Short mmCIF file of all heavy atoms in Angstrom, two decimals:
data_model
loop_
_atom_site.label_atom_id
_atom_site.label_comp_id
_atom_site.label_asym_id
_atom_site.label_seq_id
_atom_site.Cartn_x
_atom_site.Cartn_y
_atom_site.Cartn_z
N GLU B 217 41.44 -3.04 1.62
CA GLU B 217 40.75 -3.78 0.57
C GLU B 217 41.51 -3.59 -0.72
O GLU B 217 41.84 -2.47 -1.10
CB GLU B 217 39.31 -3.26 0.43
CG GLU B 217 38.57 -3.95 -0.72
CD GLU B 217 37.13 -3.48 -0.81
OE1 GLU B 217 36.60 -3.06 0.23
OE2 GLU B 217 36.58 -3.51 -1.91
N GLU B 218 41.83 -4.68 -1.41
CA GLU B 218 42.51 -4.60 -2.67
C GLU B 218 41.76 -5.44 -3.68
O GLU B 218 41.00 -6.34 -3.34
CB GLU B 218 43.94 -5.11 -2.54
CG GLU B 218 44.04 -6.54 -2.03
CD GLU B 218 45.47 -6.96 -1.81
OE1 GLU B 218 45.98 -6.75 -0.72
OE2 GLU B 218 46.06 -7.52 -2.75
N THR B 219 41.94 -5.13 -4.94
CA THR B 219 41.27 -5.88 -5.99
C THR B 219 42.28 -6.72 -6.74
O THR B 219 43.45 -6.34 -6.87
CB THR B 219 40.58 -4.92 -6.97
OG1 THR B 219 41.54 -4.03 -7.51
CG2 THR B 219 39.48 -4.14 -6.28
N VAL B 220 41.82 -7.86 -7.23
CA VAL B 220 42.68 -8.75 -7.99
C VAL B 220 41.97 -9.13 -9.27
O VAL B 220 40.75 -9.21 -9.30
CB VAL B 220 43.01 -10.04 -7.18
CG1 VAL B 220 43.83 -9.70 -5.99
CG2 VAL B 220 41.74 -10.75 -6.78
N PRO B 221 42.70 -9.36 -10.36
CA PRO B 221 42.06 -9.74 -11.61
C PRO B 221 41.29 -11.03 -11.45
O PRO B 221 41.71 -11.94 -10.76
CB PRO B 221 43.24 -9.91 -12.58
CG PRO B 221 44.35 -9.11 -11.96
CD PRO B 221 44.14 -9.20 -10.49
N ARG B 222 40.15 -11.12 -12.12
CA ARG B 222 39.31 -12.30 -12.01
C ARG B 222 40.04 -13.56 -12.43
O ARG B 222 39.84 -14.63 -11.88
CB ARG B 222 38.05 -12.10 -12.88
CG ARG B 222 37.00 -13.17 -12.69
CD ARG B 222 35.85 -12.90 -13.63
NE ARG B 222 34.76 -13.83 -13.38
CZ ARG B 222 33.82 -13.64 -12.49
NH1 ARG B 222 33.85 -12.56 -11.74
NH2 ARG B 222 32.86 -14.52 -12.33
N SER B 223 40.90 -13.45 -13.44
CA SER B 223 41.59 -14.62 -13.95
C SER B 223 42.58 -15.21 -12.96
O SER B 223 42.99 -16.35 -13.09
CB SER B 223 42.33 -14.26 -15.24
OG SER B 223 43.30 -13.25 -14.99
N ARG B 224 42.99 -14.45 -11.96
CA ARG B 224 43.96 -14.93 -11.00
C ARG B 224 43.32 -15.42 -9.73
O ARG B 224 44.01 -15.89 -8.82
CB ARG B 224 44.97 -13.81 -10.68
CG ARG B 224 45.80 -13.40 -11.89
CD ARG B 224 46.80 -12.33 -11.52
NE ARG B 224 47.71 -12.81 -10.49
CZ ARG B 224 48.62 -12.05 -9.91
NH1 ARG B 224 48.73 -10.77 -10.23
NH2 ARG B 224 49.43 -12.55 -8.98
N THR B 225 42.00 -15.29 -9.59
CA THR B 225 41.34 -15.77 -8.39
C THR B 225 41.02 -17.24 -8.55
O THR B 225 40.70 -17.70 -9.64
CB THR B 225 40.04 -14.98 -8.11
OG1 THR B 225 39.19 -15.13 -9.23
CG2 THR B 225 40.34 -13.53 -7.86
N THR B 226 41.05 -17.97 -7.45
CA THR B 226 40.79 -19.40 -7.50
C THR B 226 39.32 -19.71 -7.48
O THR B 226 38.90 -20.79 -7.83
CB THR B 226 41.46 -20.10 -6.31
OG1 THR B 226 40.99 -19.52 -5.11
CG2 THR B 226 42.97 -19.97 -6.40
N HIS B 227 38.51 -18.75 -7.01
CA HIS B 227 37.07 -18.96 -6.97
C HIS B 227 36.37 -17.69 -7.40
O HIS B 227 36.99 -16.64 -7.55
CB HIS B 227 36.61 -19.36 -5.55
CG HIS B 227 37.20 -20.65 -5.10
ND1 HIS B 227 36.79 -21.86 -5.59
CD2 HIS B 227 38.19 -20.91 -4.20
CE1 HIS B 227 37.49 -22.82 -5.02
NE2 HIS B 227 38.34 -22.27 -4.18
N SER B 228 35.05 -17.78 -7.56
CA SER B 228 34.30 -16.61 -7.97
C SER B 228 33.82 -15.83 -6.77
O SER B 228 34.42 -15.88 -5.71
CB SER B 228 33.11 -17.04 -8.85
OG SER B 228 32.13 -17.65 -8.06
N THR B 229 32.72 -15.13 -6.92
CA THR B 229 32.33 -14.15 -5.92
C THR B 229 31.26 -14.63 -4.99
O THR B 229 30.45 -13.87 -4.51
CB THR B 229 31.81 -12.90 -6.63
OG1 THR B 229 30.68 -13.29 -7.40
CG2 THR B 229 32.87 -12.28 -7.48
N ILE B 230 31.24 -15.91 -4.68
CA ILE B 230 30.12 -16.46 -3.92
C ILE B 230 30.56 -16.81 -2.51
O ILE B 230 31.57 -17.44 -2.31
CB ILE B 230 29.57 -17.70 -4.63
CG1 ILE B 230 29.11 -17.27 -6.03
CG2 ILE B 230 28.45 -18.32 -3.85
CD1 ILE B 230 28.81 -18.42 -6.91
N THR B 231 29.77 -16.41 -1.54
CA THR B 231 30.02 -16.79 -0.17
C THR B 231 28.72 -17.24 0.43
O THR B 231 27.65 -16.93 -0.06
CB THR B 231 30.55 -15.61 0.67
OG1 THR B 231 29.60 -14.57 0.63
CG2 THR B 231 31.88 -15.12 0.13
N THR B 232 28.80 -18.00 1.53
CA THR B 232 27.57 -18.41 2.19
C THR B 232 27.68 -18.21 3.67
O THR B 232 28.68 -17.74 4.18
CB THR B 232 27.26 -19.89 1.94
OG1 THR B 232 28.19 -20.67 2.60
CG2 THR B 232 27.22 -20.23 0.47
N ASN B 233 26.64 -18.66 4.30
CA ASN B 233 26.47 -18.56 5.73
C ASN B 233 27.76 -18.59 6.51
O ASN B 233 28.24 -19.62 6.90
CB ASN B 233 25.61 -19.75 6.14
CG ASN B 233 24.70 -19.33 7.24
OD1 ASN B 233 24.82 -18.21 7.71
ND2 ASN B 233 23.84 -20.21 7.66
N GLY B 234 28.32 -17.46 6.75
CA GLY B 234 29.50 -17.40 7.57
C GLY B 234 30.78 -17.57 6.81
O GLY B 234 31.83 -17.61 7.40
N THR B 235 30.75 -17.66 5.48
CA THR B 235 32.00 -17.76 4.74
C THR B 235 32.48 -16.38 4.40
O THR B 235 31.82 -15.39 4.63
CB THR B 235 31.83 -18.58 3.46
OG1 THR B 235 30.86 -17.93 2.64
CG2 THR B 235 31.39 -19.99 3.78
#
Side-chain angles (χ1 to χ4, degrees):
E217 177 177 334
E218 57 185 89
T219 57
V220 294
R222 188 182 186 87
S223 61
R224 296 182 60 185
T225 59
T226 56
H227 297 287
S228 73
T229 61
I230 300 168
T231 59
T232 69
N233 216 355
T235 60

